[in-house]
Amino acid sequence: MTAGLSRILAGGAMLSVLLTQSGSTQQQATERINGDWPMYRRDHAGTGFSPLTQITTANVANLARAWTYRLQSDASAPTAGTGGPGAVNSQVTPIVVNGVMYLPTANRVVALEPESGKERWQHTVTGGAPSRRGLAYWPGEGGNLPRIIVAAGRRLIALDAQTGALAVGFGKQGEVDMVVPYNSVPLIYKNVVVVGANNPPGGGAAPGNARAFDARTGAKLWEFNSVAQPGDVGHDTWEGDSWRNRSGANAWPFYFTLDERSGTLYIPLASPIPGAYGGDRKGANLYGNSVVAVDAETGKYKWHFQTIHHDLWDADPPAPPGLFDIVQNGQSVPALGLTTKSGYLYILNRETGQPIFGVEERPVAKSDV
């Protein structure tokens, strides 16, 4: 009896996969080919949409657990930031490429058979836990075989997708020191690996810049200044020298999105630090609380849209924008939707950054601090 792969449910201790027994063998084979989930949000546009049709409203009640896989570590020592011995507070979205499932656990990266949960390989990550949110797949090029790329604190690690061994041609024996840690999922476009920054809070901390590395060699390709530096667009939004050694405005969210037609990468950026006091950073403080569009291969600035000028409430956009097209006045318009912690949804032209339906800007009550 065969079964089609359904939705993946990740919890603190186990990865559970639900299967349904309906559907013809031919349908199941077709869905196996089309059912890959090759990146965190399935596609660069961030749609999170699967074309699978085997599970429907008519048969979803028949789903049953087929297998589980332990995400915890067998080690007795606590894993940093997880809250207990060998535990993991997993937020992972596994990826599936060519019928193989890849995901990080508390202390290792694994490749599984999606239908059975059987482990194909595992790579133990020492010196810090791999990202609890996910990882990325690079299809390879020339003599370079496909790779799994995962962040682990300051380290960006590349593994052979077939064996789980370190990709020795990447950085130093398969690892690159990113200097500033990143706790989420890299985005891969062509041979470019884009990461964000989870810089520690407090004044004088490292900048929260998005950065890119070469998927083949690990060499650094570009870095985008999230706090506009002298000569950058928006530098004049920092009064005096308030831009110096300014932290925050970091690309901390889970992921990025990208327009494959134009090669444009969209970076959501957080609030400047300190967040609740702005007396030492008068001005709009670009690119805090913004979505910034850059060229994915060079990091060159294209446009920005700031959702809050001079934020004091930590109401930054926590997720990358979703990309879609809308019809306006009979014409198709390339659009994106950006959500924020304030609850507003901004719909912008993704080629220009201009609001499609307009935005009403309202001042807030001024503080007497």
Side-chain angles (χ1 to χ4, degrees), residues 210-236:
R211 297 148 288 160
F213 299 87
D214 192 308
R216 299 161 295 188
T217 66
K220 190 174 180 179
L221 298 176
W222 56 259
E223 182 168 349
F224 180 81
N225 296 320
S226 61
V227 173
Q229 302 293 295
D232 292 343
V233 175
H235 176 65
D236 59 352

Side-chain angles (χ1 to χ4, degrees), residues 138-147 160 190-191 214-216:
W138 178 63
E141 181 191 69
N144 293 309
L145 298 175
R147 293 172 177 172
D160 185 305
K190 297 182 178 179
N191 294 322
D214 192 308
R216 299 161 295 188

Side-chain angles (χ1 to χ4, degrees), residues 2-174:
T2 59
L5 180 63
S6 175
R7 182 174 175 83
I8 300 159
L9 305 175
M14 293 286 190
L15 177 76
S16 296
V17 170
L18 306 179
L19 300 180
T20 179
Q21 298 177 348
S22 66
S24 67
T25 302
Q26 181 178 358
Q27 180 186 20
Q28 292 160 1
T30 301
E31 295 204 348
R32 172 65 182 269
I33 295 172
N34 298 329
D36 276 5
W37 193 277
M39 60 189 75
Y40 181 71
R41 290 289 295 160
R42 194 177 186 272
D43 53 36
H44 282 130
T47 66
F49 174 78
S50 171
L52 298 179
T53 58
Q54 183 179 349
I55 298 173
T56 68
T57 55
N59 62 31
V60 67
N62 299 325
L63 290 174
R65 187 171 70 183
W67 55 264
T68 61
Y69 181 84
R70 182 180 176 87
L71 298 178
Q72 292 152 308
S73 167
D74 292 327
S76 57
T79 302
T82 59
V88 57
N89 178 13
S90 181
Q91 299 173 345
V92 68
T93 295
I95 62 173
V96 179
V97 183
N98 297 325
V100 180
M101 180 185 292
Y102 304 94
L103 67 146
T105 72
N107 68 335
R108 61 199 186 281
V109 176
V110 298
L112 308 178
E113 293 181 359
E115 295 85 358
S116 66
K118 180 181 179 181
E119 190 177 277
R120 290 196 173 194
W121 56 254
Q122 67 166 270
H123 177 91
T124 301
V125 178
T126 59
S131 168
R132 62 182 179 173
R133 292 170 177 164
L135 39 68
Y137 176 87
W138 178 63
E141 181 191 69
N144 293 309
L145 298 175
R147 293 172 177 172
I148 297 298
I149 298 182
V150 63
R154 288 177 49 160
R155 297 178 295 158
L156 192 63
I157 302 172
L159 306 174
D160 185 305
Q162 296 296 317
T163 66
L166 287 166
V168 293
F170 182 86
K172 185 177 180 180
Q173 297 299 310

